[in-house]
Amino acid sequence: MAILLPRNDVLNVHPAPQGQHLSEHGSDWLWAATALFAFNTLVLFALKFKASRGERLWHYIWIVTNLVATLAYFAMAANLAWDVVSQRNQVRQHGPTRQIFWAKYVLWVVSFPAAILAMGILSGVSWATIVFNIFLSWIWVIGYLVAAYVPSNYKWGFFAFAALAHIFLAFETLFRARRSANRVGINGDYMMLSGWTNLLWLLYPIAWGVSDGGNVIGVTKSMIFFGILDVLFITTLSYAFVFLSRRWDYSRLNIAFTQYGRVPIAGTYPEKHATTDHHSGVTDPHTAAPAV
């Protein structure tokens, strides 16, 4: 009967380090988040089969993101993928060392660019702009990662550089991309998605500042804080893109992928076949189906 009883023995199998570390209740929360991301992965994969060819692009992006989130949170729930880092701040209150989970930074290296890629394709901005924004997100996340490992207050220098990349990224996704989204007639949905994304992104510096940065809150509280942000960020954007995509006009979204690249307008290309308008039942010879 003992095997049927709920029991989390992670800290016995993978002992916690000395100093600040993840508690059993913190591990329980991370297991719950792991289960949610795994569930999202399976649901999105199933929904992919009911999506039209153009809509599958969003499924692909968020299936991969949720799968990476499942792996990252599995590692953290199992009390793996961490290092012990000496602390400069709040030493009397929390002790001289802190358990830092680097797995969450690996997740952000994937999840932030995933949102940027999805919003960039939706808004119709150029590939150069999308790549630029992805590199900004990597600078932001890597800046936080490096800062978390700095045992002195020089960590705030790295935090400042990361914050600058964050500001640039917010400008690009909220203002520059908005003009492009307006041109393709998707401004309303884009601003809703971009606004939600940037609202959550605004909370990540706060969470980092009071945890891996300032050592104000303990490891368990910080993992709960980051877990809530990641769940809201990845889960809501996953389903929002998948369900909102059903009402978008794909002939205006610049996602007609051909052997010549991503074309600005839909058309008939040598490797394409004309698509059938599912609403009217009439074949339009001037519209190419996105190869997704």
Side-chain angles (χ1 to χ4, degrees):
M1 292 297 293
I3 195 173
L4 300 178
L5 297 177
R7 179 168 174 262
N8 186 349
D9 63 349
V10 161
L11 297 182
N12 294 326
V13 177
H14 304 130
Q18 296 294 324
Q20 290 189 79
H21 58 79
L22 183 70
S23 69
E24 181 179 332
H25 293 303
S27 178
D28 291 338
W29 156 248
L30 294 174
W31 282 123
T34 303
L36 176 61
F37 288 126
F39 175 77
N40 290 343
T41 303
L42 296 176
V43 170
L44 292 171
F45 189 82
L47 290 174
K48 176 178 72 70
F49 293 100
K50 292 187 176 181
S52 65
R53 294 177 68 190
E55 294 173 6
R56 292 175 191 169
L57 171 64
W58 321 110
H59 295 73
Y60 296 151
I61 292 173
W62 295 108
I63 287 171
V64 170
T65 305
N66 277 277
L67 185 56
V68 173
T70 303
L71 293 173
Y73 271 81
F74 178 89
M76 293 186 289
N79 202 37
L80 300 169
W82 53 264
D83 282 314
V84 176
V85 179
S86 298
Q87 297 297 302
R88 173 66 176 174
N89 304 300
Q90 306 295 328
V91 173
R92 291 184 178 180
Q93 182 178 356
H94 295 296
T97 61
R98 182 184 183 91
Q99 185 182 27
I100 301 291
F101 285 91
W102 50 261
K104 62 180 180 287
Y105 297 98
V106 175
L107 169 59
W108 298 342
V109 166
V110 175
S111 63
F112 289 6
I116 292 166
L117 177 62
M119 291 190 298
I121 294 175
L122 175 62
S123 67
V125 297
S126 67
W127 280 115
T129 299
I130 294 175
V131 171
F132 173 63
N133 290 342
I134 288 175
F135 271 95
L136 286 176
S137 72
W138 285 341
I139 294 171
W140 176 14
V141 174
I142 293 172
Y144 279 7
L145 174 61
V146 174
Y149 277 81
V150 175
S152 68
N153 279 329
Y154 278 86
K155 68 174 62 183
W156 299 109
F158 292 99
F159 176 83
F161 293 127
L164 184 61
H166 180 192
I167 293 171
F168 289 163
L169 181 59
F171 175 80
E172 291 289 331
T173 55
L174 283 175
F175 299 104
R176 183 174 180 181
R178 180 182 180 180
R179 294 194 294 269
S180 179
N182 190 52
R183 286 196 297 269
V184 297
I186 205 75
N187 186 60
D189 284 351
Y190 176 80
M191 286 309 299
M192 178 177 63
L193 294 168
S194 178
W196 175 251
T197 299
N198 279 279
L199 175 62
L200 292 177
W201 275 348
L202 189 63
L203 298 177
Y204 277 92
I206 298 174
W208 188 90
V210 299
S211 58
D212 292 359
N215 196 34
V216 176
I217 62 176
V219 176
T220 295
K221 291 181 179 179
S222 69
M223 297 312 296
I224 293 173
F225 198 166
F226 284 125
I228 291 173
L229 291 180
D230 287 337
V231 165
L232 290 175
F233 182 79
I234 297 173
T235 301
T236 56
L237 287 181
S238 296
Y239 292 112
F241 270 95
V242 165
F243 289 109
L244 288 176
S245 66
R246 298 177 179 179
R247 68 186 190 188
W248 294 337
D249 182 0
Y250 286 86
S251 67
R252 302 183 64 186
L253 293 185
N254 295 348
I255 57 173
F257 295 95
T258 75
Q259 67 184 25
Y260 306 103
R262 181 184 174 202
V263 296
I265 58 175
T268 302
Y269 298 89
E271 81 282 10
K272 297 287 186 180
H273 297 287
T275 58
T276 300
D277 188 332
H278 298 290
H279 299 290
S280 62
V282 178
T283 301
D284 183 358
H286 301 293
T287 303
V292 178

